[in-house]
Every structure is written in C-alpha cells, then in structure tokens.
Amino acid sequence: MALSQRVGICAVAQTTFSPNRWEERVQGLVWDVVKSVKDAVGLGFEEGGIEASITVSDDLFDARTISDNAVTDVVGAHFRGEEKVAADGAQGVYYGVSTILSGHHDVVLLAGHCKESQAASRNQITHLAFDPFFTRPLGLDYLAAAALQAQAYLARSGVTEMQLADLVMRSRHWAARNPVAQEQSRITVEEILSAPMLADPIRASFMYPVSDGAIAMVLASEERARDLCDNPVWITGLGNSHDAFYLGERDLSRAKSLEEAAQRAYRMADIDTPGTAFDVVEIADQYAHQLPLYAEALGLCNDGAAWLREGGPDAQQVNHSGGMLAGNPLMLGGLARVAECVLQLQGKAGGRQVPQAHCAVAQGATGPAGQLQTVVVLENDL
Amino acid sequence: MTTDAFTIAGKMALPYQYFAGATSSRCIVALRDEKKILASRCERSDRTVFPPRQVCDLTFEDLSDNWVEVSDRGTITGFTIIRYAEPYQPMAPPYVLALIRLDGSDATLTHIVHSEDIETVAIGQRVNAVFAETPVNNILAIRHFCCVPTDSDSP
Amino acid sequence: MSTSKRKHRNVGIIGCGMSVFSSHREEVNQPEMIHEAVAEALADAGITLADVDCVVHGNMELFEMVHQPDMWHSLGSGVVGKSGLRLTTGGTTGMTLACAADNLVASGLHDVVLAIGFEKLQEGHTTGGISNMADPLWGRKLQAGALTGTTAQAMIDEFGKERACDAAMKLRIIMDEHAALNDKAHRSFGLERRYIKELTENSPPLVGELRMIHMCSQSDGACAVIFAAPHKIKEWNANPAWVVDHETVHREENVVFTGTKSTHRVASERLFARNGITNPREQLDVFEMYDPSAWWGLDWLREFLLLEGDEHLKMVENDEIGIQGTFPVNPSGGVMASNPIGATALVRVAEAALQVRGTAGRHQVPKEVKRALASGFGGTLWSVLMLLARDEPQGASQ
Amino acid sequence: MTDTPREQELIVSKQILSIEQTFSTGPIMGHFLRELRDNQRIMALRCRANGRFLLPPREVDAWSLSDDLEWIEVGPEGTLCEFDVVYYASPDPLTGATRNVPYVIGWVILDGVEGLSPLWHLIHTTDIPALRHGLRVRAVFAETRTGAMEDIVHFEVLNTGETGP
C-alpha cells in the first residue's frame, strides 16, 4: 500500500565518527547534533515547534537502564514526549514516520547515539543477545554469527577475499571525501590481507571498526516540511522484516529478511526495477561480505561476485559515505545510511556527491547476522 | 586539545539466574543423563528443530510433547574458525564453530567441532557428538562434535 | 501539544492476552512466557498469527541481561517473516508500546499490530537493575531502585500521620480486594480492613514510611495487545476498545521531587483539553493507574484527576475508587498485585480495554464503561496516558 | 515424556554477568569532579538564560534548552530539604556488592544555590530520628580523592541548633 502522504527529512547532523570519543559523554555528543538540526530548521521545542523526540540507543551499550533517560535533557524532552527505539537507527526512521503519518505529530526530532568504546568489547555485549542454554555457552556473538554468514555467502557466491579487500579500499576512497567518516586513510591490499583473521573468513580489516558518534534528524509532515527547508527529502517507502533466531534455521548465504523488507518498501514506493531505480545506494556493511550479499537481497544484482567484478558498486553509486566499513557504531549503522542519502539528495555531499541524484535507498540491520532488516526509500523533488 | 574531561574505569555487574523452562530442561536432561539428542517436530511446517521449543516459531503449533530423537551424527553445513579471544568462550581459540545438520532430519544446530587439524575442516565433513563426562546443564552436555572419516560413515 | 490532532485513521484494541503473573516461572523460558500472552491475545481477538502484520516488543535489557531480546524472543512472539519494532522507555515501556502500535496502525503502515511487553524479573535483580538507571558518575552508588519515602513524608506533613497512613493502607487494601477478583493477579493477601493500623505498623520499612506492604510486587509476566484498523475490525466483527488519544510527558534526567507541576497533572491537562474532558470523575468510567506503591497511587489520584486539597483522600476514605464505587480505580488490582515491569504499563492498557469491551470477567466494573483511562509510569517521574472509548471516535481523516 | 511438571527437573543457570566499562566524564562533569578532587570545591553551573542552578552540572539546562552556563562555587555547607532513610539492602550495580543499611540519602540545597536545585548525597548521622527538613549539613571530603562523587564521603549534620530557611 502506498503511503497516505510523504514525510520529509528537513535536516540531518552527524558527529564525526571516531574510535574513542573519550572526551565527551553521550549527552555532549547528542547535544551537538540536536543543536545543529534544531538551528537548521529554526525551531525549538515551544508550541508550534518540534513536538516530540524519538531516540535511538541501547541500554547494554550504554551500561544504563533506560539509556534514553541520559539524553532526556538534550533532546528537549523535559515535560514533553520522548520514545526510544532500541534497534538499528533505521528503525527509528521507520517509527518516526509512523508518528507523523498517524496524525499525532507534525514535526519530530530523531536522535541516536552509541559509544562502542565504553564497553571492554562489543562482542561482550552482542554475546548477550544469545539464549542462555543453547547458544551463549558456545561463545556466540554477532562477530561469530557474521563469520558463519560470510562463510556461507562466499561459498555460494564465489566472492573472493581479494574482492572483499577491494571493497575495503573502496570504502577508504569514499570515506576520504566524507568529513564525518572515521577511517579515511589509504590502506593497501597487503595491509588488508595481513590483518589478523578474527573468525574465518572475517579479518579485522573486513569488520567495521569500533566507533562512537551521534546522529540527529528533523522529520516533518509534507506540509510542514516545505516550510522548514527548501529541499526536504521525502520518505516514499519503508519496510522491515525478521528472520528466524537460530542460525541453523536460516539460509545464511542469503538475506531473506532483507528481501522481504525491500519488497515491502519498494511496493510502497512503487519501485518495480530496483536494479535501475536508485541513484544512491547506502548499505550497512558491518562486514565487507555483506555489501554484495545485501546488494543481492536489495535487488541491485543477482550475482554478487559478478556484480563486484563488473564494477556494480561504482555503477550503482553504492556507499559514497564510505559505508559502515569506514566506521559507525552498531546502533547507528542504518541511520548513518539514511543521513548520507539525505545529504546526497539535498546536494550537500561535497566531494562524494552523486550528480543529479533523485532516488535513494538506505538499509540497516539489527541482530545476529542481520536477523532484522530495515529498508528506507527516499526521493527529492528533482 | 585541552579539556577537563577524563575517564573512569568501572563495570556493569549484576547477578542473574536463567530458567530453561520445562521443554528445554527435558532436552538438556536427556543430553546430560541419557546422551540422547531430542529435537522438536512441527508437522505443520514440516520441520524438525534443535534447539527444541515449546511452540513452533513459524506456525505456533504446540510442540511441547512432540519429541523426536535425532542422530548424534551429522554433517557440517557451515563453519568458522574462531581466532579472537573473549572471556565467555567455551575454550581457548582457535576452535571451530560449525552448523551441523543431524542425520535423518533437517535439525541444524550450532556447536564446536574438534579436529586434529582445524584448518582442514570443510563443509560436508562428517561429525559425531562427544558427550561431556561430567554433568553440564546446557548445550555443552555435548562437549563438542568430533570429525569422522567421510567414506566410513555416509548418512 | 494542546492543539487538537486529527488522526489519519482510527485504531481499535481487539485482543488482550496476559501470561500467568508470578515470581516463580521456572517452567518457562522467556520466549515461552511471551507466547502465553500472545496466544491468549490472538484467541481473544479470534484471529491467527497469519493475520498479524507487525510485532512491537519492549522490556528493559538489564533486568534479564539480554541484548536486543526481540531477536531471541522471536521464538515466541511470532515476528518471524513479519515487521518488527522494539521500543523501550523504562517503566513506561508498555505504554510506549501501546502508543507505538496506535501510531503504526493509524499511520496506515500496518493494519494489525501486536504489542508485547515483557519482563522476567526473577531472572535478574530488579532493584539493582533499576539502580543502573542513575548516571554512573553521580547517582548510581546511591540509588535504591525505585524506592523513595519522600511522597509518604510529604503526605504525612500535609494531612497528618494517622490520616495519611490510613488512607494509603485503605488504598492498599482496596487494591488487594480487587486483585482477589482477578485470576491473573500475581498476589492477593486477603488484607482485612479492620486491621488497617496493624498492617501498617507490622510491615517492615523500606525507605522512611514506605513499607514493604505498600510496595508493588516483583513479577514475571508478559502482556500482548492487538491493535487493528477499522476495516479489519469490521471484517472480523471484532469487539474493539477504540484508542482515542495518548500523551507522553517526560521529565529531566535529575530527579527533584519538588519545584514543578507533576508530569501526571500535565499529561492529564493536555489529554483532557484535547478531548473535551472537563470533569474526569464524571466523564471517565474507570481508571487503570500504574501505581508502584500505595503512597504514589494515593498521591497521584490528585494529580491525574486534577483534584485539589484532600479530595483524593476522600475518594479513598469513601470507597469511591472501589470496583463498586463511583470511580473505580484498578479493578485489576493494579501494580501492587502484579508488576512485570516492561509489561506493566501495557497491562494497564489491556485492563482498560477489557473494561471498555466488557470482557473483564469477575473484575468487570458493574456499570457501563464508555471511556477508560490508562497510565504508565517510569524513568525520572515520566508519565504516559492513553484514553480508550466504547464508541468509535469521530473525525479521523480516513 | 509422561513426566508431570512437578517431577521434572527444571534447569537453572546462575551467574554474575559483568562487563568492564570506561565511563567518560565529558568536560562538564570532568570540571566538577576535578574541582572536588583537586580543590575540595563544589562547583555548580548556573544557566544564564533562566538563572537555574544545575547540580550536578550538565551539558544543557533542560528547562531553557540553553548551553550558556557559568560556573559558580557553592557549599560546602547547605540545608537538608528532603531525605530518605533506606532500610532495604540493594546491590551496588557498579560492583555487585550489597550495600549496608540503614543509610540516609539527602537532597541538600548548598549555600549559594538559588532555587530548588539540590545535590543528592549520603547524609551521615548517628541519630536518624532527629533528621528533619531544614537541618544544616556540611560536605565531608575524603582524604584520598580520585575525581568521583565519593570524594565527598557524605554530608555531616552540623550541631548548630540552627535550621535553614
């Protein structure tokens, strides 16, 4: 079913992403980006201003029950509404759109944060996503799950380690043109392939780096969006879907829940030919192998290995932000993808700008080996 | 950069007690005491699943009394070699973590595979369960799966 | 915020389910306990899992130390192959889930949304988990969960010790009497009104005059509520409680008990103004309040109902809040009877919906219920209200 | 397979789950904690937009949404405005250790603070029944200070006979 009206993203702000923002609490990181988007649309939280806040964060990453309570003050929620989406930030966009389409709000602030550097390791957190009797005792965590997924995908697709290395170099190339990106320095094939193997076939260089940061956006109803900025970016399609929990009950060589999420979003956005529909594609590649795997599930190609060989990522303008391989914290992977699409569609992407971009797709993933997938389709007015 | 900021080492630590529930307990006790692998069978989705479950996650059929004993032998359908270290891991890396489809069913579980040479582990490798010698109240009641020669033991 | 909103389309609650509430659920794991509530909600609505489009899930991670638990819980929630969202806001989580489900259906994104609130408090340390909400650098060493005696002390200062303590215990006894009528209630002690003073004096103090007996239970449990669009309600000939409106009012990170209006009063003022409620005790028929303790329940009556002076004490003293009274509060027994925290606020919505639909069984209030109010509480004195009605609201744009 | 639930063994797994953390103070809390540690001074932030005091100090005043804030030294003496006598022994989630009871938590309006912006801390007293609103108290600093709230060990009740405003 098509959306009853369009919801516009009027402003986005991102901190620079960094492996260790030790000098700021999350409150400071979030306030930076909230202030920026609030000023960009010229609104405060008074009557007629931003009506409600939606936050994205996670209690375990923050080591804090009710992690959103830490940012109540800086998201303007004193005596106002705030609701936390505890999943990848693209899910925050999904929920934010519903609060506007429902008629409940016209202007909503979305603000996400995550400091992966705070905990001893990310694996110790994601290990706790597994059930206490059948999977935790085996030492599973999201990295191990991703390695099983990578092995399955490489076996089916024939994507090679060299192709993964190319993707890492490509990420660095674009990240160098993205002022907020974390991993901007050049890296050689030798350096990539000599990085320690973490869990075959995932080397340290194929995994998104530890990252801290925050992102904020202002979402508005179609009518209000036009008042708040000259070139709002419209959300025209949304979809998400869950796969099964136990890894043995999924075909890890495919991303079924992403296929379903994409179908839902494309139906809404009236997109029949995803292979040619998008000028900008942003994929949450937490691991290098996920870029071709998810490209297949998004319908950008049928054969990920051939797609890589034939320059698919460049032809379809995938991850000009640098992607997650360049560094975004787990909770913000999809939200950073949406943010990049907005910047591209507003013509604000500087040295990585896709010329005459009109239609974009962003993807985000939550859970072990992308159990929950989210797809957002965005368009500008041309 | 000069800043008044600094960092403080701390921890998040609390006691927890998890309950397996009646269905999973039955399975764990069977692994531990009888060295039997009990899986759940859902006729409606035509699946045999391990870990077992009280209801089928796809059809909501009640599976709490729909047990099938499955083979303790199987085939590796996917694997990774864990080479990074974390305190919660069951053994010191490197070790093989694999998806194992048990013979005669579509039940595919995740477990550790022991091999003399872990670098040679591959998809299609035949394995069998080695049960723990002392009682363990979770999936490690199967200590690990062990590689067996393919030709001597076809499914 | 006080401007009248036009809902895109109406949303009705057509099914409610609750697991057994208890402090001992050793026989089920987390997804299995969730499934109990989901299965009951589907049966109550007369639909199957295939009819559900989207599942909204919430609880607090540190209570059970499970990261992104909606992943594992997909074994019992039915979300596989469907849309899913996870929202959590603390004690208000269940109410946030209800607001989210309402938004997701009203928006047109989904026709049928299943909201699931959950907590298995027996698996963690509740007070320790709550204390983790304080900032690690300044409050965490001091915080004792959600326990405070300041409200009790303020009421003693305002109304005198005997009257305040008796009113708090009277409210506690009424809730216990209600719980005895609710098969799902975790606990009902059979407290007797003639021992009102002894019950107070003999209960061990937790913090100041807040005593063990005043405090909510600590429960394992899950609640599931199904929200549906009008065409589905018609198609299924369902019995809906319509969602009229909701209002969320949070408060700053630092807890200060004085100096501002309460969030409860502000939430009521906004919700009532938008919906033409000038005399809540006349215009609302039943109230399911998130009452974490007898003292807070007593004090908050005044806030939610926009009362002044000692009117709220009189409501208790005169039995107005009893199930047979003129303004029944928590015919379910409320939070002192059952408190699986991530589910608790959703239980308030479910109980209000049961009353509106006339399906509350032994704890159905013996009068016509046209409008019901439900509240959620959490965070640093956060408040969320939801208004439900028997008649379909007018004015939705679709 | 005919076991009744009563006869069946139900498996439980008990554990303490712990993850090491590195908490950042940020520049605002960092300044506050450094002043406690280095100078035994309690520094509040005052919001220039509305005059409200923030204690502990925070990045933004939640009421005015302003970050135009100035440092003002307050205390170390103050007036007790609210208190809780805690009898319930709960675990300290930072260490897992159980706390000793009873103890008293107080909300203290420090001298120099305008308005209702109390600091929340432990109150040391040997006479709990004598506690009342308006008592004068004073911060007691630790001998060895690390840059933490515990650099103030507690507030002690002053025997001045005086009660504050």
Side-chain angles (χ1 to χ4, degrees):
Chain A
M1 113 185 65
L3 295 172
S4 56
Q5 63 154 319
R6 299 188 297 183
V7 168
I9 300 179
C10 301
V12 302
Q14 306 173 80
T15 60
T16 53
F17 292 95
S18 151
N20 188 355
R21 291 294 301 269
W22 66 270
E23 78 288 358
E24 281 289 359
R25 313 199 288 167
V26 296
Q27 288 91 334
L29 294 178
V30 173
W31 175 240
D32 274 355
V33 290
V34 167
K35 197 163 142 175
S36 169
V37 293
K38 176 168 96 62
D39 292 349
V41 296
L43 289 182
F45 295 92
E46 63 289 335
E47 190 83 37
I50 297 167
E51 292 160 286
S53 302
I54 294 165
T55 59
V56 172
S57 63
D58 178 83
D59 287 7
L60 265 165
F61 271 110
D62 285 15
R64 181 164 180 157
T65 298
I66 324 179
S67 56
D68 48 329
N69 204 166
V71 296
T72 309
D73 300 11
V74 295
V75 301
H78 184 57
F79 279 93
R80 305 166 34 72
E82 180 272 333
E83 294 171 323
K84 178 179 90 178
V85 174
D88 170 72
Q91 290 282 92
V93 175
Y94 194 104
Y95 181 59
V97 167
S98 82
T99 68
I100 293 171
L101 292 180
S102 69
H104 213 78
H105 298 306
D106 281 319
V107 185
V108 168
L109 171 72
L110 174 62
H113 73 263
C114 185
K115 282 188 80 173
E116 290 188 329
S117 67
Q118 183 178 297
S121 92
R122 299 176 291 187
N123 299 334
Q124 292 186 21
I125 293 169
T126 65
H127 168 62
L128 295 172
F130 289 88
D131 85 279
F133 293 94
F134 291 101
T135 43
R136 267 193 210 179
L138 301 170
L140 272 160
D141 52 34
Y142 286 3
L143 171 54
L148 291 168
Q149 180 194 46
Q151 188 277 339
Y153 177 65
L154 297 195
R156 174 178 69 77
S157 68
V159 166
T160 64
E161 187 173 50
M162 190 55 79
Q163 286 179 311
L164 298 183
D166 283 341
L167 287 173
V168 176
M169 285 191 291
R170 186 175 176 277
S171 162
R172 299 295 183 96
H173 166 84
W174 287 113
R177 289 154 181 78
N178 180 1
V180 302
Q182 178 172 323
E183 301 294 338
Q184 301 192 344
S185 61
R186 295 183 75 85
I187 186 167
T188 63
V189 177
E190 294 71 33
E191 286 168 317
I192 293 168
L193 296 184
S194 62
M197 189 66 87
L198 299 174
D200 302 36
I202 295 179
R203 294 184 181 277
S205 48
F206 297 152
M207 181 184 187
Y208 75 112
V210 172
S211 182
D212 294 349
I215 301 176
M217 296 183 189
V218 173
L219 276 56
S221 60
E222 188 157 3
E223 193 184 339
R224 286 300 303 279
R226 292 190 192 281
D227 299 339
L228 296 179
C229 79
D230 297 333
N231 49 358
V233 170
W234 306 110
I235 294 166
T236 56
L238 289 163
N240 66 17
S241 189
H242 258 268
D243 209 333
F245 173 67
Y246 288 119
L247 301 171
E249 286 156 35
R250 295 191 221 167
D251 178 355
L252 287 174
S253 76
R254 298 182 192 277
K256 178 163 157 273
S257 54
L258 181 53
E259 290 168 14
E260 291 164 354
Q263 281 161 16
R264 286 169 192 162
Y266 297 167
R267 202 177 313 136
M268 218 178 268
D270 209 11
I271 285 171
D272 301 322
T273 53
T276 54
F278 304 113
D279 308 301
V280 174
V281 176
E282 282 287 324
I283 292 174
D285 50 349
Q286 296 161 8
Y287 304 87
H289 73 274
Q290 291 177 340
L291 193 120
L293 168 61
Y294 292 170
E296 288 179 19
L298 285 165
L300 305 179
C301 63
N302 292 320
D303 176 345
W307 183 69
L308 293 179
R309 253 189 332 267
E310 291 154 14
D314 291 332
Q316 288 175 308
Q317 293 160 144
V318 178
N319 285 10
H320 279 209
S321 62
M324 258 184 105
L325 281 178
N328 298 125
L330 188 63
M331 302 304 294
L332 302 185
L335 193 57
R337 308 283 71 74
V338 173
E340 174 68 9
C341 290
V342 172
L343 294 174
Q344 289 284 357
L345 295 180
Q346 288 186 324
K348 292 178 179 169
R352 63 188 194 284
Q353 180 68 45
V354 173
Q356 276 129 26
H358 166 60
C359 185
V361 64
Q363 170 262 337
T366 305
Q371 183 179 343
L372 168 62
Q373 294 279 356
T374 314
V375 173
V376 183
V377 179
L378 306 100
E379 294 174 45
N380 61 16
D381 277 329
L382 262 187
Chain B
M1 183 174 67
T2 60
T3 172
D4 279 335
F6 59 99
T7 62
I8 295 172
K11 76 180 164 182
M12 171 172 63
L14 282 171
Y16 292 88
Q17 55 177 359
Y18 294 110
F19 296 98
T23 304
S24 295
S25 291
R26 176 165 177 80
C27 167
I28 291 166
V29 168
L31 287 176
R32 184 192 68 195
D33 298 348
E34 301 171 56
K35 305 196 188 320
K36 277 185 187 170
I37 304 178
L38 296 183
S40 302
R41 175 73 194 158
C42 175
E43 298 299 342
R44 229 173 105 197
S45 63
D46 192 22
R47 300 189 305 161
T48 302
V49 289
F50 187 96
R53 62 211 64 176
Q54 194 185 61
V55 293
C56 174
D57 44 331
L58 304 182
T59 65
F60 274 7
E61 290 293 301
D62 183 348
L63 310 183
S64 57
D65 217 15
N66 237 11
W67 295 101
V68 286
E69 186 183 342
V70 293
S71 172
D72 62 359
R73 298 190 169 222
T75 306
I76 291 181
T77 59
F79 71 98
T80 180
I81 303 172
I82 301 292
R83 301 178 194 268
Y84 62 97
E86 290 287 359
Y88 49 77
Q89 290 169 343
M91 58 196 286
Y95 60 88
V96 175
L97 187 71
L99 296 167
I100 299 158
R101 193 177 58 234
L102 298 172
D103 289 355
S105 78
D106 44 5
T108 304
L109 80 160
T110 312
H111 216 299
I112 310 297
V113 169
H114 175 75
S115 167
E116 291 303 315
D117 181 2
I118 58 170
E119 305 295 338
T120 63
V121 168
I123 288 176
Q125 171 73 54
R126 299 284 297 148
V127 292
N128 66 359
V130 176
F131 288 87
E133 279 155 20
T134 51
V136 179
N137 279 335
N138 60 45
I139 187 64
L140 292 174
I142 301 172
R143 193 173 71 193
H144 55 241
F145 282 77
C146 202
C147 293
V148 293
T150 305
D151 46 358
S152 71
D153 177 59
S154 293
Chain C
M1 278 167 278
S2 58
T3 52
S4 176
K5 289 287 182 185
R6 201 174 138 102
K7 208 164 175 172
H8 173 61
R9 67 173 175 180
N10 280 325
V11 181
I13 293 174
I14 61 167
C16 303
M18 297 172 212
S19 71
V20 174
F21 296 145
S22 163
S23 52
H24 293 282
R25 294 305 315 275
E26 293 89 342
E27 80 287 15
V28 286
N29 65 21
Q30 295 177 20
E32 290 164 354
M33 192 179 71
I34 282 173
H35 181 76
E36 291 175 8
V38 172
E40 189 174 285
L42 290 171
D44 184 31
I47 63 174
T48 69
L49 180 61
D51 297 315
V52 174
D53 302 322
C54 175
V55 178
V56 184
H57 172 286
N59 77 311
M60 274 158 280
E61 289 189 356
L62 270 58
F63 282 137
E64 295 88 9
M65 204 71 147
V66 179
H67 179 56
Q68 296 175 330
D70 48 332
M71 301 297 134
W72 171 30
H73 295 174
S74 67
L75 286 161
S77 70
V79 76
V80 177
K82 301 183 188 299
S83 284
L85 278 159
R86 173 168 161 80
L87 289 100
T88 102
T89 50
T92 46
T93 291
M95 190 61 83
T96 302
L97 296 170
C99 295
D102 178 59
N103 280 324
L104 288 162
V105 175
S107 67
L109 285 172
H110 299 290
D111 288 338
V112 182
V113 174
L114 168 66
I116 301 170
F118 150 88
E119 218 74 72
K120 207 152 187 276
L121 293 176
Q122 189 191 3
E123 300 201 349
H125 195 293
T126 306
T127 304
I130 296 176
S131 297
N132 259 326
M133 68 180 272
D135 187 283
L137 302 183
W138 48 273
R140 201 167 289 184
K141 280 223 179 300
L142 300 178
Q143 183 149 353
L147 303 174
T148 175
T150 53
T151 302
Q153 193 56 49
M155 296 194 80
I156 287 166
D157 292 347
E158 186 173 355
F159 301 109
K161 186 162 185 177
E162 186 176 7
R163 190 179 179 203
C165 287
D166 285 356
M169 187 50 61
K170 175 83 178 286
L171 182 138
R172 179 69 192 89
I173 294 169
I174 291 171
M175 292 306 130
D176 193 63
E177 292 166 352
H178 290 175
L181 302 173
N182 179 1
D183 299 333
K184 295 284 184 178
H186 173 176
R187 52 181 204 178
S188 170
F189 298 118
L191 305 180
E192 291 185 47
R193 292 177 180 221
R194 61 192 164 132
Y195 296 125
I196 192 163
K197 292 199 177 358
E198 291 85 343
L199 285 169
T200 305
E201 285 157 14
N202 295 337
S203 177
L206 297 171
V207 181
E209 264 305 318
L210 176 72
R211 291 167 184 270
M212 189 78 88
I213 196 167
H214 296 127
M215 206 56 202
C216 55
S217 75
Q218 191 169 301
S219 314
D220 289 1
C223 178
V225 179
I226 297 170
F227 295 72
H231 69 280
K232 289 290 182 185
I233 291 172
K234 200 177 230 178
E235 180 189 329
W236 292 328
N237 198 21
N239 171 19
W242 296 99
V243 179
V244 180
D245 200 356
H246 45 86
E247 177 68 28
T248 299
V249 181
H250 285 194
R251 209 184 173 290
E252 66 183 313
E253 181 189 2
N254 195 26
V255 182
V256 181
F257 290 100
T258 50
T260 60
K261 261 188 196 180
S262 74
T263 48
H264 304 319
R265 186 171 286 264
V266 170
S268 280
E269 284 174 353
R270 289 178 186 165
L271 187 82
F272 295 171
R274 282 205 298 270
N275 294 284
I277 294 170
T278 50
N279 186 346
R281 279 194 282 176
E282 289 291 321
Q283 291 168 276
L284 302 174
D285 301 303
V286 63
F287 179 24
E288 271 290 333
M289 189 209 293
Y290 193 127
D291 54 343
S293 76
W295 287 106
W296 271 349
L298 181 61
D299 185 48
W300 296 354
L301 267 183
R302 180 161 69 172
E303 301 305 301
F304 282 120
L305 300 177
L306 311 180
L307 304 177
E308 301 296 337
D310 65 350
E311 285 180 82
H312 57 310
L313 266 66
K314 287 182 187 156
M315 285 180 75
V316 175
E317 289 161 348
N318 301 335
D319 281 322
E320 287 170 51
I321 65 164
I323 190 166
Q324 306 283 344
T326 52
F327 189 82
V329 174
N330 292 358
S332 65
V335 183
M336 284 175 269
S338 315
N339 188 23
I341 300 179
T344 299
L346 191 59
V347 174
R348 307 280 71 73
V349 175
E351 288 289 353
L354 291 175
Q355 294 290 342
V356 169
R357 297 164 73 222
T359 55
R362 285 200 299 142
H363 63 286
Q364 180 71 39
V365 303
K367 65 171 182 175
E368 190 187 10
V369 177
K370 297 190 79 166
R371 291 212 261 196
L373 185 69
S375 90
F377 168 77
T380 45
L381 308 173
W382 295 350
S383 196
V384 189
L385 285 176
M386 181 169 270
L387 180 62
L388 303 178
R390 181 77 210 153
D391 296 331
E392 183 169 0
Q394 304 299 304
S397 48
Q398 186 187 309
Chain D
M1 292 177 206
T2 54
D3 287 3
T4 65
R6 192 171 310 175
E7 294 161 350
Q8 193 190 342
E9 177 182 352
L10 294 173
I11 303 286
V12 58
S13 164
K14 297 187 187 212
Q15 47 201 281
I16 289 180
L17 292 172
S18 169
I19 300 178
E20 303 288 326
Q21 306 284 326
T22 306
F23 295 116
S24 300
T25 65
I28 304 288
M29 273 303 285
H31 183 75
F32 173 81
L33 295 173
R34 279 172 193 274
E35 287 284 351
L36 287 185
R37 180 186 68 193
D38 300 342
N39 304 315
Q40 301 185 46
R41 287 203 299 191
I42 303 172
M43 300 299 292
L45 277 174
R46 182 181 170 278
C47 173
R48 289 197 178 94
N50 63 8
R52 190 163 81 113
F53 280 68
L54 302 180
L55 201 68
R58 300 184 288 286
E59 285 76 358
V60 173
D61 174 50
W63 296 19
S64 65
L65 260 287
S66 168
D67 58 8
D68 184 11
L69 310 164
E70 61 182 333
W71 289 107
I72 293 179
E73 184 184 354
V74 296
E77 293 188 10
T79 305
L80 188 64
C81 75
E82 293 259 14
F83 61 89
D84 266 338
V85 182
V86 182
Y87 301 97
Y88 176 76
S90 59
D92 178 344
L94 294 169
T95 62
T98 301
R99 302 187 250 224
N100 292 324
V101 289
Y103 60 96
V104 179
I105 294 174
W107 284 261
V108 176
I109 305 280
L110 291 166
D111 294 349
V113 170
E114 295 159 27
L116 280 168
S117 293
L119 184 72
W120 197 40
H121 215 295
L122 290 170
I123 307 296
H124 177 71
T125 177
T126 51
D127 188 7
I128 286 176
L131 285 175
R132 62 193 186 280
H133 298 170
L135 275 182
R136 294 288 293 164
V137 295
R138 177 170 57 208
V140 176
F141 286 85
E143 286 290 312
T144 312
R145 295 180 302 280
T146 60
M149 278 305 277
E150 301 79 67
D151 288 352
I152 299 174
V153 181
H154 52 242
F155 281 80
E156 64 180 0
V157 177
L158 298 176
N159 295 314
T160 58
E162 171 196 354
T163 55

